[in-house]
Amino acid sequence: MRIVVLVKQVPDMERVKFDCEAGRVDRSSAGTEINPFDLNALEAAVSIQEQLGGKIITLSMGPAAAEDALKDTIARGADESVLLSDRRFGGADVKATAKTIAAAIKKLGGADLIFAGIQTVDGDTGQVGPETAGYLDIPHISNVDFISAYSETDITVVSNVMEGSYVKKSSYPVLITVTKDINQPRLPSMKRKLSARKAHIPVWGYEELQDYIREDEIGLQGSATKVKRIEVPPAVTRKGQVWRENVEEAIDGLVEVLKKAKVLEV
Amino acid sequence: MKMTEKDCKGILVFAEQKKERIHRVSYELLGKGKELAAQLDCPLCSVVLGPPDMDVAELIYRGADIVYHITDPMAFAAPDEVLYEQNLVRLIRDVKPEICLFGATNFGRSLAPRVAAKLGAGLTADCTHLAIDQGQLVQIRPAFSENILAHIQSTAYPQMATVRYKEFNEAPRDTNRKGQIKAMEAYVSDNSPVKILEEIVKEDFDIADANVVVAAGAGVKAKEDLKMLQELAELLGGKLGASRAAVEAGLIAKDHQVGYSGNRVKPSIYIACGISGAPQHIAGMKESGIIIAINSDPSAPILNIADYAIVGNLYEIIPKMIRKLKNMKS
Ligand SMILES: Cc1cc2nc3c(=O)[nH]c(=O)nc-3n(C[C@H](O)[C@H](O)[C@H](O)COP(=O)(O)OP(=O)(O)OC[C@H]3O[C@@H](n4cnc5c(N)ncnc54)[C@H](O)[C@@H]3O)c2cc1C
Ligand SMILES: Nc1ncnc2c1ncn2[C@@H]1O[C@H](COP(=O)(O)O)[C@@H](O)[C@H]1O
């Protein structure tokens, strides 16, 4: 049983400052973390491995610093990690990212199960998982918040799509995208933390993947979308009436507002 | 075979159906699609996958010039992304549209990337605006907790996007409109590696359709205390919403969560009770008609985006409001 988990290192979005003038996140204003949903993906893999055995490999495409995130995944239960890092991978959109990840999974010799987060908090497309499955030509099941059963050959999960919850069963290989509700990721143990620190994380650049992907399929060149412009939307101005001391007066004021909005009609 | 600009023409809107009811986002896409088609001087088409006897004329009434009805008695009754993808990819290769639009529903967000990958196309997620510039589609989407709007263009064909629900107006319904319905048997209808065993029926709670939302945050301390918020909501004909902090504290079910990883709501009145106003919460409610905030902290960010705010203790203010509203009603 081989389980691959896709993880991305992202800025801590609850703390990160946003530079409105430049229209970009000020990455120096906050630390980085593993995309929160990817921790749920990893936890799902670890709990399956506890029952079935096998190997968990975490895979990330990103800058050299993403090695820290991968070490953290080893502390949390992954057996091995691979970092996909190369200047030529830069500027990748979803298409180029998914194709590069798919190439790496092929180089690993494929996987029975692949877990990804439902979305990243920075890129936030939710598309990398399903597109990776598409490029690997394997099925995927998305928006999964419950794993009902699994065995050496197949997995049964609950997928939330079309305003419903569907119980879906797939044979391997399959890619699954998970939500926060699927589990509570455990914290790394002290012992694993120590061994993770010493872990060697192989870095694969384009050279390592060249049997599986063409150079014009990676990075900016391999992307099928381009950001033409970033617009900072004007701050919406609201009425901004604030009552501070007199609660009675405030309530009278609010009731007037509700009356005018016609939500008080009996 | 790669599609190029020269062979591609027309706009294709994917119409999502469940139990033969078409999702309303499809009508919104047809409304916007009509405008784009007029600018490009091209036909507006729609594709729906469903049983052969499904009535698809509604898509014509809503503006489609051609409806491709891919039929199978059973295959499309459940959301099987693999079967949907295989059929859509075949159709798109035959029809060669220049633009393909999907609703950014859970299913659309799952299906569209599979289709894009099979076509080698680009795909922009969760667009809130679409425009045409020099014959090309401009896809506009919010990013970084809605702090910026990115203008994105595709460099491959078809130009594909998923579009958020409730961003565009529904196409008006005109039952006199004429168009062509092309029914065709499914290209592929079995052998999916995914088996859909059953649909779990849940209580049908939808915060998105509430006209008034009274939302609880971490300032609400106990489950018990939700009763007063519920009472206020009922007096205003509304529903209970919540911040993620309230959901995570176990006060209320996840269906009620408003925000980036919850639901997006656009009620005429939003009353935030004990909610600080983190960007991820605001992302889900900032388009509400009137925003009212009750918060004891004079520096809470929610006050900056509220139309009306009371700085004070919600445990004092809400019961008083309820009393006053009740007096008025009786
Ligand atoms: C990836 C990601 C996704 C997220 N998605 C969401 C999402 O979908 N929705 C969401 O809401 N959040 C989301 N969050 C979390 C968000 O960043 C905030 O942590 C959360 O919104 C805080 O909830 P809160 O305002 O209820 O709690 P707090 O920030 O703790 O605020 C509580 C407020 O209550 C006030 N208060 C306390 N007691 C009283 C009283 N007696 N009377 C009046 N006021 C009182 C306090 O002054 C304070 O302002 C997300 C975060 C991340 C990183
Ligand atoms: N650069 C990346 N490296 C590895 N996995 C990724 C990367 N980007 C996205 N993913 C995976 O795809 C999921 C969805 O990401 P996104 O499409 O960016 O919202 C994430 O939760 C990850 O599991």
Side-chain angles (χ1 to χ4, degrees):
Chain A
M1 183 91 179
R2 184 190 275 132
I3 309 178
V4 169
V5 183
L6 307 183
V7 301
K8 188 180 179 195
Q9 188 183 46
V10 295
D12 175 353
M13 293 299 280
E14 268 181 280
R15 283 194 192 84
V16 77
K17 295 267 183 317
F18 194 81
D19 181 346
C20 278
E21 252 137 60
R24 71 166 109 71
V25 165
D26 172 10
R27 287 187 194 266
S28 63
S29 65
T32 57
E33 60 182 18
I34 298 178
N35 180 43
F37 305 101
D38 302 352
L39 289 179
N40 298 98
L42 177 58
E43 177 64 35
V46 172
S47 58
I48 289 177
Q49 187 204 38
E50 282 175 341
Q51 301 301 319
L52 298 183
K55 191 194 272 181
I56 299 174
I57 306 168
T58 49
L59 194 61
S60 188
M61 179 168 110
E67 188 189 7
D68 294 342
L70 287 174
K71 285 197 165 166
D72 193 19
T73 66
I74 290 183
R76 291 169 188 268
D79 298 295
E80 287 172 19
S81 296
V82 179
L83 175 60
L84 307 176
S85 198
D86 189 320
R87 282 179 52 189
R88 286 168 285 181
F89 295 154
D93 71 347
V94 174
K95 178 183 177 185
T97 304
K99 263 194 167 172
T100 307
I101 291 173
I105 292 173
K106 285 181 195 158
K107 185 181 166 76
L108 285 170
D112 299 302
L113 257 170
I114 303 170
F115 283 105
I118 175 81
Q119 64 197 165
T120 49
V121 294
D122 60 346
D124 184 18
T125 75
Q127 295 176 171
V128 169
E131 287 211 15
T132 301
Y135 284 114
L136 288 170
D137 213 5
I138 65 172
H140 79 272
I141 304 179
S142 68
N143 228 334
V144 168
D145 63 6
F146 190 71
I147 298 177
S148 349
Y150 48 83
S151 73
E152 297 281 351
T153 53
D154 52 52
I155 185 164
T156 306
V157 298
V158 178
S159 159
N160 292 288
V161 287
M162 278 194 181
E163 278 106 44
S165 298
Y166 291 87
V167 182
K168 295 186 174 188
K169 178 175 182 173
S170 177
S171 51
Y172 302 143
V174 61
L175 183 146
I176 288 173
T177 73
V178 308
T179 74
K180 263 185 76 61
D181 301 322
I182 192 167
N183 53 35
Q184 188 68 43
R186 73 192 81 180
L187 295 170
S189 71
M190 213 51 205
K191 196 168 128 229
R192 291 206 67 110
K193 257 191 183 163
L194 286 175
S195 58
R197 213 178 294 160
K198 283 180 254 143
H200 166 70
I201 312 266
V203 179
W204 292 355
Y206 175 67
E207 255 68 64
E208 280 76 12
L209 296 183
Q210 62 183 344
D211 292 344
Y212 304 91
I213 190 168
R214 293 195 315 266
E215 198 170 349
D216 65 359
E217 294 177 305
I218 60 169
L220 205 55
Q221 218 192 334
S223 296
T225 54
K226 296 247 179 312
V227 178
K228 289 283 170 182
R229 192 156 78 77
I230 295 288
E231 179 190 344
V232 178
V236 265
T237 39
R238 291 270 175 178
K239 209 159 167 17
Q241 175 168 356
V242 181
W243 290 282
R244 289 172 198 278
E245 265 102 41
N246 191 331
V247 169
E248 311 303 328
E249 182 193 315
I251 290 174
D252 290 345
L254 275 193
V255 168
E256 276 312 303
V257 170
L258 296 173
K259 244 193 222 161
K260 258 203 213 130
K262 298 200 166 53
V263 293
L264 286 184
E265 248 83 68
V266 210
Chain B
M1 187 197 57
K2 220 171 145 182
M3 297 185 194
T4 60
E5 180 172 9
K6 267 211 242 71
D7 0 284
C8 293
K9 194 150 177 69
I11 297 174
L12 183 67
V13 167
F14 169 70
E16 179 177 324
Q17 64 89 14
K18 176 175 178 174
K19 301 197 174 107
E20 300 181 37
R21 260 200 20 237
I22 293 171
H23 195 291
R24 304 209 84 91
V25 72
S26 316
Y27 303 144
E28 297 173 0
L29 293 179
L30 285 170
K32 189 68 194 178
K34 195 89 213 155
E35 278 171 37
L36 302 177
Q39 278 170 277
L40 290 169
D41 191 22
C42 74
L44 176 63
C45 309
S46 187
V47 55
V48 59
L49 296 82
D53 55 356
M54 179 179 166
D55 184 6
V56 301
E58 186 67 23
L59 295 166
I60 305 264
Y61 304 157
R62 300 288 187 151
D65 300 310
I66 304 174
V67 176
Y68 298 98
H69 180 191
I70 301 182
T71 68
D72 187 87
M74 282 305 298
F76 308 119
D80 182 335
E81 286 90 341
V82 177
L83 278 184
Y84 268 81
E85 168 249 294
Q86 289 177 342
N87 283 286
L88 281 174
V89 166
R90 294 282 285 271
L91 181 83
I92 291 169
R93 288 209 165 114
D94 286 349
V95 174
K96 297 191 180 59
E98 59 201 292
I99 294 173
C100 275
L101 303 177
F102 290 73
T105 59
N106 284 340
F107 186 61
R109 285 173 56 108
S110 181
L111 171 63
R114 271 199 88 83
V115 173
K118 287 298 159 89
L119 295 168
L123 175 65
T124 305
D126 283 330
C127 295
T128 53
H129 297 279
L130 296 172
I132 301 292
D133 180 25
Q134 299 174 12
Q136 296 281 108
L137 182 67
V138 185
Q139 304 143 15
I140 302 165
R141 70 171 305 236
F144 292 117
S145 302
E146 325 247 330
N147 277 302
I148 55 168
L149 290 173
H151 293 234
I152 295 171
Q153 287 191 319
S154 303
T155 53
Y157 280 83
Q159 306 164 83
M160 291 181 64
T162 67
V163 179
R164 257 191 212 158
Y165 183 29
K166 293 197 172 162
E167 287 296 338
F168 300 131
N169 295 325
E170 266 185 30
R173 182 167 200 256
D174 174 2
T175 49
N176 292 319
R177 249 195 119 253
K178 296 276 176 287
Q180 220 181 332
I181 295 175
K182 295 191 177 177
M184 56 187 83
E185 245 174 73
Y187 301 89
V188 186
S189 62
D190 52 14
N191 286 331
S192 171
V194 179
K195 302 276 168 276
I196 298 169
L197 306 179
E198 62 168 319
E199 182 183 356
I200 302 169
V201 184
K202 279 202 217 149
E203 178 202 351
D204 214 11
F205 178 83
D206 188 8
I207 184 86
D209 64 14
N211 183 44
V212 174
V213 171
V214 177
V220 176
K221 297 294 177 240
K223 218 169 178 160
E224 265 296 294
D225 309 338
L226 275 184
K227 282 200 188 125
M228 62 179 181
L229 270 68
Q230 175 75 45
E231 190 173 1
L232 178 60
E234 274 163 20
L235 284 165
L236 303 174
K239 291 185 178 177
L240 270 189
S243 73
R244 187 166 106 183
V247 172
E248 290 191 342
L251 290 185
I252 196 166
K254 171 90 196 252
D255 310 5
H256 295 259
Q257 183 174 319
V258 171
Y260 170 80
S261 50
N263 299 281
R264 281 167 211 279
V265 298
K266 231 180 188 173
S268 28
I269 307 236
Y270 191 89
I271 309 184
C273 309
I275 292 179
S276 62
Q280 295 87 359
H281 187 79
I282 292 174
M285 46 66 81
K286 66 175 189 306
E287 284 171 52
S288 306
I290 295 174
I291 297 175
I292 297 173
I294 303 175
N295 198 302
S296 50
D297 175 4
S299 64
I302 190 85
L303 303 188
N304 300 330
I305 66 141
D307 294 288
Y308 302 95
I310 308 185
V311 176
N313 184 349
L314 68 92
Y315 286 92
E316 176 192 350
I317 294 162
I318 291 176
K320 280 191 177 154
M321 262 183 89
I322 292 174
R323 231 170 294 140
K324 171 139 188 158
L325 293 174
K326 274 189 173 159
N327 284 340
M328 285 174 58
K329 287 214 175 183
S330 59

